[in-house]
Amino acid sequence: MSTFLPFHTPDIGPEEIDSVVATLRSGWLTTGARVKEFEQEFSAVIGAQHAIAVNSCTAALHLALEAIGLQEGDEVLVPTMTFAATAEVVTYFKAKPVLIDCTPDTFNIDPDKIEAALTARTKAIIPVHFAGHPCEMDKILAIARAHNLRVIEDAAHALPARYRGKMVGTIGDSTCFSFYATKNMTTGEGGMVTTDNSEWAARMRLMSLHGLSRDAWNRYAAQGAWAYDILSPGFKYNLTDIAAALGIPQLRKCERFWKIREHYAELYREGLGDLPELILPRVAPHVQHAWHLYVIQIDAERLRIGRNEMIDLLKRHDIGCSVHFMPLHLHPYYRETWGYQPEHCPVAGRVYERILSLPLYPKMSEADVRRVVTVVRGLVEAHRR
Ligand SMILES: *Cc1c(COP(=O)(O)O)cnc(C)c1O
């Protein structure tokens, strides 16, 4: 009997534990010096002018849309192949999320399907770098420029990722990162938004803490002033120093984590690449894939079992898998409220039936990866037509 290999476990070392404990002992728990330090290191790693730490990527997306002045009745293009957060933030404004189909290879937003979805009310596009593979940003930015749209990137999977040599986080108008427990680096819960636009940065910072005048977070420190002004009705999205204390050492390990992810992705390719029943992820030559997820497709015509059975069998062999994602247009809310039908995004619908995500994270050992390969090969061989 092997022990169960979870789909994900975070990699938390003594550096993280010491850093968090030091913050707990410091007497300052909420937004303070550690958050500032985390923001500075993050903007340096990305190469962005501004980085604003918040308590989730969802909060970051919300603030980014608020900063561009999204209004009731506006429309925002969102890929259907994403997590709930990407589109729900659009509805916070009583604006309309317009769902766009994906490409069959990367599952990223299909740039060739964007223009047909534009209307006079379209204000922004939120590309999601699915699994960590950057979207075709040149095409997306060209369309955005031609139609005066803002580009807010959902980079929840894309740290560290590059597109034509440029770091994701420096490409669109604003870029939103997630430090949720399962992401490439974690603060438990947390997020970051980067931008080179000083006006938006100031607005997002303001709105992330109740719309209070600058540096109000500092009002209980010795040098802080008790007085503040409410400049706008904001939100409660600030990150705590406890979370930042976890984030700083995680960020410093980010490159090493990525190298392990890339190595394991290579082991999966070597171990499974010859099986015609499986379609493995493809990587465009001009990108650095962040390898947040390793999503394979099973070819249902060549196997006697479907995706769900495959996941059940893997579980019986003590391997945790997942599915990313059930496309948004198939969910009850989008069907009932916005009238989406399966035929609106046929590629995503087809892909959804075939995808499964294999475990891929630095806390796994090489032996774990090899065991997944052996079990997947065994199941394919036992169930091929
Ligand atoms: C995880 C995730 C989010 C949300 O991140 P939180 O930090 O949990 O708010 C947004 N978009 C995508 C694609 C994600 O996978």
Side-chain angles (χ1 to χ4, degrees), residues 74-337:
D74 287 344
E75 295 177 9
V76 177
L77 308 191
V78 176
T80 191
M81 206 47 156
T82 188
F83 182 60
T86 319
E88 87 193 15
V89 291
V90 174
T91 70
Y92 293 179
F93 297 85
K94 296 189 163 60
K96 180 182 180 183
V98 177
L99 304 179
I100 309 291
D101 207 355
C102 64
T103 66
D105 50 359
T106 62
F107 315 147
N108 277 333
I109 189 168
D110 187 339
D112 297 332
K113 290 180 183 155
I114 290 176
E115 273 180 310
L118 298 176
T119 74
R121 294 176 160 252
T122 313
K123 290 288 150 50
I125 311 175
I126 312 182
V128 176
H129 306 298
F130 181 91
H133 189 298
C135 296
E136 268 316 322
M137 293 308 294
D138 280 354
K139 286 189 185 175
I140 293 168
L141 291 171
I143 295 167
R145 262 193 300 275
H147 299 274
N148 193 29
L149 311 175
R150 303 278 76 83
V151 177
I152 312 288
E153 291 164 66
D154 180 337
H157 301 176
L159 181 70
R162 286 171 195 275
Y163 176 78
R164 299 193 190 280
K166 286 180 107 176
M167 195 77 177
V168 168
T170 63
I171 302 170
D173 291 310
S174 294
T175 308
C176 302
F177 295 90
S178 175
F179 310 131
Y180 181 67
T182 61
K183 297 291 159 62
N184 284 13
M185 60 159 278
T186 186
T187 60
E189 298 277 0
M192 191 80 77
V193 49
T194 61
T195 184
D196 284 347
N197 183 310
S198 303
E199 207 176 299
W200 292 336
R203 178 70 185 179
M204 291 190 283
R205 198 174 285 290
L206 175 78
M207 295 304 277
S208 73
L209 189 64
H210 307 298
L212 303 189
S213 53
R214 208 170 143 66
D215 285 345
W217 61 266
N218 208 19
R219 65 194 183 280
Y220 298 118
Q223 70 278 25
W226 57 268
Y228 56 80
D229 292 316
I230 300 167
L231 303 179
S232 195
F235 312 105
K236 174 65 183 177
Y237 284 162
N238 57 303
L239 192 73
T240 67
D241 262 21
I242 304 171
L246 178 49
I248 292 163
Q250 284 273 295
L251 180 62
R252 290 174 186 164
K253 293 176 181 181
C254 213
E255 191 69 17
R256 185 160 62 75
F257 285 164
W258 171 73
K259 289 215 166 86
I260 300 170
R261 287 178 178 275
E262 198 191 33
H263 175 54
Y264 289 175
E266 189 51 38
L267 292 182
Y268 277 144
R269 168 154 299 283
E270 281 168 14
L272 301 171
D274 62 314
L275 296 172
E277 294 83 0
L278 302 180
I279 303 164
L280 303 186
R282 262 196 292 168
V283 186
H286 54 280
V287 308
Q288 174 181 306
H289 195 315
W291 291 114
H292 172 56
L293 300 172
Y294 198 88
V295 179
I296 66 170
Q297 295 179 72
I298 64 164
D299 186 341
E301 274 89 71
R302 290 172 184 264
L303 286 173
R304 284 177 287 108
I305 54 170
R307 184 270 316 276
N308 293 353
E309 252 179 304
M310 183 69 116
I311 290 182
D312 288 347
L313 288 167
L314 282 160
K315 196 168 175 190
R316 258 189 264 166
H317 285 84
D318 286 322
I319 293 167
C321 290
S322 194
V323 174
H324 300 86
F325 297 93
M326 176 170 157
L328 295 181
H329 75 284
L330 300 179
H331 283 276
Y333 167 73
Y334 290 94
R335 297 175 75 130
E336 287 157 21
T337 305

